[in-house]
Amino acid sequence: MCSSDLVSAATNIVSGSGSYKNVFVVQRAQPWGTNGTPWNIGSTLLASRGLGGQPANGDSFSPSLDGADIFKSKCLAFGSAASNLVAGDTNNRADAFLMQLPGGKLRRYAGKGGAVTAAAVDGKCTKLAFVSGGTLYVKTLKGGKVKRASAKGGVSAPDLSADGRSISFARKGSVY
């Protein structure tokens, strides 16, 4: 199964998506191959759906999908300013979210020292990276603590390697 992630404010992709920017997961329908075969759109999932099926009450952004053409995606990371995606989100700022696929549980990771502006997941869904207050943080998903991974301020565009061992990001005009 191959998937793609998408951010859109369109209201006609999935019913009940509301007027904010949402994160969607689009499944690629069979047949497909790794040789450039055309996309055939399969099912589409609204990842940033509010509790009880309600539309999200804030914009969602920065989707990052694990997996590859040769193995099934297991999770999706994204940022969202919506406060109604999970119970107990009362910090009034954007957070990082991780969804188990297909369409499973959504977990929230609150930013450290500011709103989350970007999120990324590695290729095997073992690590989550997010930018909060301009600083990069990384969380090992099985039991690890959230750890700061950059100097404070100016960080954007995190990207984890497929195996989660390396991370790149932009900071003040340079790539690290």
Side-chain angles (χ1 to χ4, degrees), residues 11 23 25-26 32 34 37 39 41 45 49 59 64 73-74 87 107 111 127 141 153-154 167 173:
T11 58
V23 172
V25 177
V26 180
W32 66 271
T34 59
T37 53
W39 260 85
I41 295 175
L45 165 74
R49 183 178 304 277
D59 284 338
S64 175
S73 296
K74 294 186 269 181
R107 288 183 283 168
K127 290 186 180 174
L141 294 171
I167 187 165

Side-chain angles (χ1 to χ4, degrees), residues 87-109:
D89 186 354
T90 59
N91 66 358
N92 295 316
R93 63 181 182 215
D95 298 308
F97 291 86
L98 187 77
M99 173 180 266
Q100 297 299 315
L101 296 175
K105 184 177 179 180
L106 190 62
R107 288 183 283 168
R108 174 180 155 257
Y109 297 90

Side-chain angles (χ1 to χ4, degrees), residues 42-163:
S43 63
T44 302
L45 165 74
L46 173 59
S48 54
R49 183 178 304 277
L51 290 169
Q54 294 296 312
N57 61 5
D59 284 338
S60 295
F61 51 88
S62 186
S64 175
L65 191 64
D66 81 328
D69 286 344
I70 58 172
F71 57 91
K72 189 176 183 176
S73 296
K74 294 186 269 181
C75 67
L76 167 76
F78 62 94
S80 183
S83 63
N84 68 337
L85 301 185
V86 297
D89 186 354
T90 59
N91 66 358
N92 295 316
R93 63 181 182 215
D95 298 308
F97 291 86
L98 187 77
M99 173 180 266
Q100 297 299 315
L101 296 175
K105 184 177 179 180
L106 190 62
R107 288 183 283 168
R108 174 180 155 257
Y109 297 90
K112 305 274 186 180
V116 168
T117 56
V121 65
D122 71 319
K124 295 183 179 181
C125 196
T126 60
K127 290 186 180 174
L128 169 70
F130 59 90
V131 177
S132 173
T135 303
L136 179 64
Y137 295 89
V138 177
K139 163 95 169 104
T140 299
L141 294 171
K142 288 192 178 180
K145 293 184 179 182
V146 174
K147 295 181 181 179
R148 192 177 79 188
S150 76
K152 292 185 177 184
V155 172
S156 64
D159 190 25
L160 286 159
S161 63
D163 63 6

